[in-house]
Amino acid sequence: MRIPATDLPSIIGEELNLPRKSVNATIKLLDDGATIPFIARYRKEATGELDEKKIYQISSRLEALRELLKRREFIVEQIKSAGALTDELADRIEHTLDPATLEDIYLPFKPKRRTRAEIAREKGLEPLAKIIMSQTATHIDLTAQKFAEKGNVDNPDDAISGALDIIAEWMSENEKARNLVRARYQRGAVLTSTKAKGAAADPDGLYENYYDVKQPLRMVASHRFLAINRGCEAGILKMDITINDDEMIERLGRFFVKHDATDRCSCLVKSAVRDCYRRLLKPSIEHEIMAAAKEKADTTAIEMFADNLRQLLLAPPMFGKRVMGIDPGFKTGCKVVCLDAQGRLLSNDVIFPNAPVSDIHGATYQVCSLVDHFQIDVIAVGTGTAGRETEKFLNNVRYPRKVQIVPVCEDGASVYSASDIAREEFPDKDITVRGAVSIGRRLLDPLAELVKIDPKSIGVGQYQHDVDQTRLKSALDFTVESCVNSVGVNVNTASKSLLSYVSGIGPALARYIVEYREENGPFKSRRDFLNVPRMGEKAFQQCAGFLRIPGATNPLDNTAIHPERYELVEQIARDMRTTPAALVANPNIAKNIEIAAYVDKNVGVPTLMLIVDELSKPSRDPRGEAQITQFDDSITSITDIRPGMELTGKVNNITAFGAFVDLGIKENGLLHVSQMSERFINNPNEVVSIGQTIRAKVMDVDPTRGRIALTLKGIAPSV
C-alpha cells in the first residue's frame, strides 16, 4: 500500500526503520524549536530513546521531503496553468517521492528553450511529426512535400528532418524510455579514467594510479571516484561513464517502433531513436548518473570526515596544567608562549635552538627560566616544520621542575591565528604568537580550542574540498554541536566560539553571555542565565542542562540534570532523608534510588536513569585521560627509516582506503586498509581511531615522493 505523501512521519519511519510514533514526536519537537542535543538527552520518553544520529537523520530527511513537497506544488501549478493537469496526473505527482521520477513527469510540460524541436514546431512541422510517429502513413514523402510547399521549409527532406527533431524530443521526454536508459546505467555503467589529451603536469604523480582505470561504476570506491573527479577538474584525467550504446538503441527501437509499421516510417522512427539517444537521452541520463555517483561518494566522505572530527574533538584534555606552547621554526625561530591552567596568555617570547642560528645555550636558559617562573607542567610543541628538531632539543634540556614534552598536531593553527576570533582574543599580538597559543590550548582542552577553527582546515578527512559544501557544513556543524553538548561547557570560562555551539544559544546569544559575565562576574546559578539579554524561557530550556557552573550554590547546576527536574531530585533526596548536595557529594547514595517509585506520566525510566547516572558520577568528563605518544628517538627524518623497522606512531587521519600515522617526522606513514583488517572496510574504528598510539612495521619507503607504507600484520596493533 502506498503511503500518502503528506504523512511525513510514516514515510520517514519506513525509510529509516523507526517507529512512526517516535518520528512524529521528534518532528513535533523539532518544529517547536527544540535542538537535536536537547531532544536526545531530555526528551527520551517522547522519542522512544532515539539517539542524536537518528534524530539528525530524521531532521535531514524531513527537510529534504519538505523541499520535495514544495517542488511538487510548483510543478502542479505549472501544469495546471498550462491546462494539462488531469486527475490521473495529479494522483501520480501526489504519490511520487523520487525527485528523478517527479522531474520526468514534469519534463514534457517544462518551458522549452529554443531547441531544434522548438524551431521545427515554429515552422508548423508538429502535425508531420505526429503522422510519422503514428507509423501508419504509406506515402510520407508526399505528405512532407505538402509541408514544404507551404513555404516554411525549403524541401521535403528539411520537413522530415524537422519532424524527426520533434519526435526525438518526445522520445527523450518519455518517462518509460528514460527509466529504461536510467536502469541500464544504474546496473551496468562502466567508469573509465584515462590521462587527458594535452594533460596538465602531474609532477608528484598524484594521479598515476588513475591513468588507465576501467571498472563498473557501482563498484568504484568513493575515494577513487572523488580522486578521479579531482583529477578531471585539474585537467589531468578524463572520465567517462558508458554503457553499450548499440544495445540501448536497439532496445529503445523495440519500444518505439511498431511491429506493423511501414518500412519508410519505421526507418524514420529508428533514425529518431538514434538521434534521441545520442543527442538527448544519453547526455541527460549520464549527467544524472554522474551526479548520483558523486552524491554517493560525497556521503561516504562526509560521514568519514564527521567521524574523524568527532574523535579529534573528543580527545582527552589536560585540565589543571600550566602549559608552554611552542610553534617551531628554523630561520624565524620558535615562538614560545606560557599559559595558565585556564589557557590565559602569561608570556610570549622567541628562541632559536635550530639552524641556522643554533643558539642552544640561550634557548635552554630562556626555556628553563620560563618553566621555573610560570611553574610550567607540560610543553606542547607543534609537529609542523622544525617540530621534530625542536622536540629533540627540548628532550635534552634539564629543567628546574618536572615537565612533559608533548607533540601536538598544528593543522589549522595558522587558520586560527589569522582569523577574526584570534584578532579579537589577542588584538595586540601577531599571528605567530596566536598560533603558539592555539597549539598550547589544544593540549589543555582540544574541544574548546578546535571549535574556533573551520573543521575543513583541521586536516582529518578525505577530499573535503571536493564534496558538496552545504552538506559537509551541515554534517560538521552537527558533529561539533554534538561533541560540545555531550561534554558540557563551563559557562564561566567558555569562549564565545564554544558557547555558540551549545544547544539553543548560537553566536549572538553567546556574545551576550560573555558580555554579561564580564560586566557582572561569574554566574552563580543557572537561573542567572535568564538575566542575560535575549535569553528567553525557550533558549533557557534548550541550553541550561548543557551549561555547567562549578562551585554553584546549587550543586545540581554543575551536572547534566536539567533544572526542570530539580524538584524531582529534591523529592528523591527528601525520601532518602538527605539533600541534593549530599546526593552529589556522595555518589554511592544514588545507587540505592528506587527508580520505579518515581515513574509517572511525566517522567519515565530513561530520565530517571539519566538523573541516577549524573548523581553517581557528577561532573564527569566523557573524554577520559590524555595519553602521550613517545616516538622513536632514532628517527628524525624519512631517510632514517628502512623497510622492516617497527615504529611507534599516532593515528591522525582515517580515510576509506586506510589511516595516516604520525611517526614524529614531517611525512606521515600510510597504513593501507589491506594491511589492517577486513573489519576496517565496515567499521574503521574497530581497528584504529584518531589519536590512538600504534606500533606498525615499515613495508616500503620512498624518500623522493615522501611516502611510507606501514602494516599491522604480524605485530600487535596498539601499545
Side-chain angles (χ1 to χ4, degrees), residues 191-200 207-214 227-229 231-232 235-241:
L191 179 145
T192 59
S193 171
T194 56
K195 192 171 183 180
K197 187 176 181 180
Y207 301 102
E208 284 183 0
N209 292 337
Y210 307 107
Y211 286 175
D212 185 18
V213 173
K214 188 172 185 180
I228 293 170
N229 193 58
C232 292
I236 297 171
L237 301 176
K238 181 179 185 297
M239 174 168 54
D240 290 302
I241 294 178

Side-chain angles (χ1 to χ4, degrees), residues 61 97 109 222 246 461 540 585 681 700:
R61 186 59 181 139
L97 293 175
F109 309 98
S222 64
D246 292 336
F540 175 82
I681 298 173
D700 189 32

